[in-house]
Structures are given as C-alpha cells and as structure tokens.
Amino acid sequence: MALRQDWSEHPCPIARAVDIVGDPWVVLILREAFTGTRRFEKFRDRLGIADNVLSKRLQLMVDAGLLERSSYRGEQRTHHEYLLTESGQELLPLLHTLALWGERHTTPPQRSAHMTILHSTCGAATTQSERCSNCGEPMTAQTTQWRRTWIDRAAVDLEPA
C-alpha cells in the first residue's frame, strides 16, 4: 500500500523499499513488534490506531514478508499473533537510524523524553545503527535494548521473531 503512488515496480530499490516501509504506521508497528507486541488489540492500544487502519497495515506487512501471522485459540474463537520475520528483523538498523536522527535533530515534547539504544552484550549505549559504537559487535534484536524514558523506567529487551 503506497502512500501516494505504487513504487513496487520501480527500478530503484529505495523507491521499492519506501513503497513498503514509507508509511509511518508501518514503522510504528515495527517498533512495537520489536518490543514484543504481537496481538492486534495490543498494537491498537499501544499506538492509538483505528482498527481498519491497523488491519490494512498488518496485512500489508504480512504480504510484504515483514510479519508472519500465527493463529492461536482464544476463549471463543481463533485469533492471530503477528511475529517479526527475518526480513522484518533486518529493519532494526532503520529504526535505530531514525531514533538516533530524532534524538539529534528533533525536540522532544518533554525535556526528559529520550531514547537510548543499549548493546546488551557489552552494556554500553551506542551511537550507531548497525554495530555497537563501543565494542563494534552487530546490533541485533537479541543483543539490543531500548531505554525510552517516556515509557520505561528500565531498558526493554527487543524480541526476536
């Protein structure tokens, strides 16, 4: 689902990528998926997104291979969870780049609202998106924590698929 036009057939890989991840809701759904959100209701509650918008974005992300839909049985009917795929996990550096850029170039609504990306292997904060700026090891969902002062009192481990 392109924001303005369909770039899925464009020869430029940036245009094709923006066709999928250029929607702000997709990026925010990814953020929540990395912190362990898996169920429709939780995405809706955490993001404040309308049901129809969330349904469309989740379907787009499943179709694009960023999320995998997994069924589970609820009390009265079958529900779905949405799990990050390997392709979705590969977008972690993009989220880190956006967070680092946002910390440097935007003003938070509250002076104390900041996000720190921590490399859990060495325990240091990083200023790079793909590798820890302290030890040089790759930043993965398994080795990354986010400290978001507007939500978390402690760092949140990211969830691998």
Side-chain angles (χ1 to χ4, degrees):
M1 175 184 310
L3 288 174
R4 293 167 190 86
Q5 68 184 53
D6 183 356
W7 293 318
S8 63
E9 300 293 323
H10 199 283
C12 175
I14 296 171
R16 292 190 312 270
V18 166
D19 192 58
I20 298 168
V21 297
D23 182 310
W25 285 121
V26 169
V27 175
L28 294 174
I29 291 167
L30 280 170
R31 179 195 69 195
E32 293 307 316
F34 272 109
T35 61
T37 301
R38 294 187 172 142
R39 296 185 178 177
F40 185 94
E41 296 78 17
K42 189 74 167 176
F43 281 114
R44 183 190 61 215
D45 295 346
R46 296 282 308 250
L47 295 169
I49 184 174
D51 286 358
N52 64 326
V53 175
L54 179 58
S55 291
K56 288 179 185 177
R57 295 323 186 277
L58 288 170
Q59 187 60 55
L60 165 75
M61 295 171 77
V62 167
D63 291 345
L66 303 178
L67 296 174
E68 177 181 275
R69 188 180 1 247
S70 175
S71 298
Y72 70 94
R73 183 77 181 150
E75 289 182 20
Q76 296 181 345
R77 64 182 180 91
T78 300
H79 299 274
H80 297 102
E81 290 186 322
Y82 297 89
L83 308 170
L84 282 166
T85 63
E86 185 176 333
S87 176
Q89 286 188 47
E90 288 180 12
L91 289 168
L92 183 61
L94 173 69
L95 295 181
H96 286 169
T97 298
L98 288 170
L100 293 166
W101 186 90
E103 280 291 325
R104 284 192 301 269
H105 300 289
T106 65
T107 303
Q110 304 157 351
R111 184 175 289 237
S112 62
H114 294 285
M115 181 171 171
T116 305
I117 303 166
L118 302 169
H119 186 225
S120 58
T121 304
C122 72
T126 187
T127 58
Q128 296 179 9
S129 58
E130 289 195 51
R131 296 194 164 273
C132 176
S133 53
N134 182 59
C135 70
E137 291 294 316
M139 299 295 293
T140 66
Q142 294 85 354
T143 64
T144 300
Q145 295 178 316
W146 290 343
R147 182 172 295 128
R148 301 170 299 172
T149 59
W150 68 97
I151 294 175
D152 310 314
R153 294 284 178 232
V156 173
D157 289 323
L158 301 193
E159 293 283 328

